[in-house]
């Protein structure tokens, strides 16, 4: 194979790869582009390229072939020519491999994100459990509307408990001595429920502040 045939063959391979890369990039959904946006698909010595799109690699390969043509025209040493040919073939192979493994990269990235979400959810759940309010549904803690609904619910509970305590304390004065101890214990129990309810109210209010803090705007 003479030099002209070599360059012609490389250009044909490049044209085929260019079509494959363009089709590959056109078929990428926006969510897939986003998923692989920060992913390095190649060794840095092969391509200066990251993310889902592969067609930019064609530009680099085209420059390599032009450089090889120039080296052949200048009749540079065989070692120089061989190094250029090897680099082009390595990049061809890497690009073909990337075209075939995009779905693997996507699946790997999806699994990584799912794992991160699971760890975050577990951490959040543990924080709720540690706070003593694990009985409040964790999904409520991720939604401001539900947080406000939960807050109103606890405020209403607290109000009803306070009213109940007042009624029980009013009854205590007229209660028969045999029933007084039981009623006093019931009042203490209601006070404990009221304290728990107020603690939950404070906790939910703190969560609302944390949830809304990033959305606050500050004067510049």
């Amino acid at each position: 194979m003479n030099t002209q045939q070599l360059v012609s063959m490389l250009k044909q391979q490049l044209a085929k790869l260019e079509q494959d890369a363009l089709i590959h990039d056109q078929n990428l959904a926006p969510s897939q582009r986003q998923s692989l946006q920060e992913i390095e698909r190649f060794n840095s010595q092969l391509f200066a390229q990251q993310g889902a799109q592969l067609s930019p690699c064609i530009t680099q390969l085209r420059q390599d072939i032009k450089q090889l043509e120039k080296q052949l025209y200048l009749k540079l040493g065989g070692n120089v020519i061989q190094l250029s040919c090897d680099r082009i073939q390595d990049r061809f192979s890497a690009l073909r491999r990337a075209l075939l493994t995009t779905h693997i990269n996507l699946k790997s990235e999806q699994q990584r994100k799912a794992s991160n979400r699971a760890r975050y959810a577990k951490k959040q759940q543990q924080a709720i459990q540690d706070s003593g309010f694990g009985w409040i549904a964790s999904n409520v803690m991720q939604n401001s509307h539900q947080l406000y609904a939960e807050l109103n619910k606890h405020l209403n509970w607290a109000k009803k408990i306070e009213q109940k305590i007042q009624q029980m304390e009013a009854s205590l004065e007229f209660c028969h001595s045999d029933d007084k101890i039981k009623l006093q214990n019931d009042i203490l129990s209601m006070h404990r429920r009221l304290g728990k309810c107020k603690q939950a109210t404070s906790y939910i209010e703190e969560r609302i502040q944390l949830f809304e803090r990033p959305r606050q705007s500050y004067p510049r």
Side-chain angles (χ1 to χ4, degrees):
M1 180 185 298
N2 59 37
T3 57
Q4 188 175 0
Q5 290 174 327
L6 172 63
V7 172
S8 177
M9 181 192 70
L10 292 175
K11 287 183 177 180
Q12 289 175 6
Q13 291 180 6
L14 180 63
K16 174 64 169 62
L17 269 179
E18 183 174 19
Q19 288 299 314
D20 293 342
L22 288 172
I23 292 172
H24 168 276
D25 291 355
Q26 289 170 359
N27 289 335
L28 286 171
S31 60
Q32 293 175 323
R33 294 172 188 259
Q34 182 67 28
S35 293
L36 297 180
Q37 185 176 1
E38 303 298 331
I39 302 299
E40 292 187 3
R41 306 289 301 278
F42 305 98
N43 184 303
S44 59
Q45 295 179 347
L46 289 172
F47 290 108
Q49 171 67 15
Q50 67 179 31
Q53 291 182 285
L54 297 176
S55 53
C57 298
I58 299 298
T59 302
Q60 297 176 56
L61 269 167
R62 186 173 287 114
Q63 291 173 349
D64 288 340
I65 294 175
K66 285 183 178 179
Q67 183 180 22
L68 176 62
E69 281 188 284
K70 185 176 181 180
Q71 291 170 348
L72 291 169
Y73 176 78
L74 295 173
K75 297 182 179 180
L76 298 183
N79 289 338
V80 175
I81 302 297
Q82 187 62 50
L83 284 173
S84 293
C85 289
D86 290 344
R87 182 170 61 250
I88 291 171
Q89 288 302 327
D90 287 344
R91 288 183 171 179
F92 273 148
S93 298
L95 182 53
R96 290 191 186 100
R97 186 163 54 250
L99 287 166
L100 294 173
T101 58
T102 291
H103 68 287
I104 297 176
N105 293 118
L106 283 168
K107 188 173 182 179
S108 176
E109 184 64 10
Q110 289 167 357
Q111 290 174 342
R112 184 188 69 81
K113 290 182 177 180
S115 178
N116 287 344
R117 286 194 296 268
R119 281 198 299 270
Y120 177 76
K122 185 177 180 181
K123 184 178 179 181
Q124 288 289 94
Q125 184 63 31
Q126 187 61 49
I128 293 172
Q129 294 292 343
D130 292 344
S131 70
F133 301 106
W135 46 274
I136 301 177
S138 60
N139 64 309
V140 170
M141 294 302 165
Q142 310 302 324
N143 185 300
S144 62
H145 295 294
Q146 289 179 313
L147 278 170
Y148 277 109
E150 194 73 18
L151 177 62
N152 288 331
K153 183 167 66 176
H154 281 79
L155 289 172
N156 289 332
W157 282 348
K159 184 177 180 180
K160 290 179 180 179
I161 293 172
E162 287 173 343
Q163 291 174 347
K164 183 66 175 177
I165 290 173
Q166 290 175 357
Q167 293 172 0
M168 294 170 73
E169 288 177 341
S171 301
L172 189 62
E173 183 178 352
F174 307 100
C175 184
H176 190 276
S177 58
D178 293 339
D179 299 325
K180 185 169 292 188
I181 294 177
K182 181 180 182 303
L183 185 56
Q184 287 174 333
N185 288 333
D186 289 343
I187 292 172
L188 288 174
S189 177
M190 293 299 290
H191 274 291
R192 284 194 292 269
R193 287 181 60 188
L194 179 60
K196 185 75 173 178
C197 191
K198 287 184 175 180
Q199 286 178 353
T201 299
S202 298
Y203 176 74
I204 295 170
E205 288 173 341
E206 290 175 1
R207 297 294 300 180
I208 290 173
Q209 290 178 357
L210 289 172
F211 191 91
E212 294 185 341
R213 188 172 298 162
R215 293 170 170 77
Q216 293 177 351
S217 58
Y218 299 92
R220 296 182 179 178

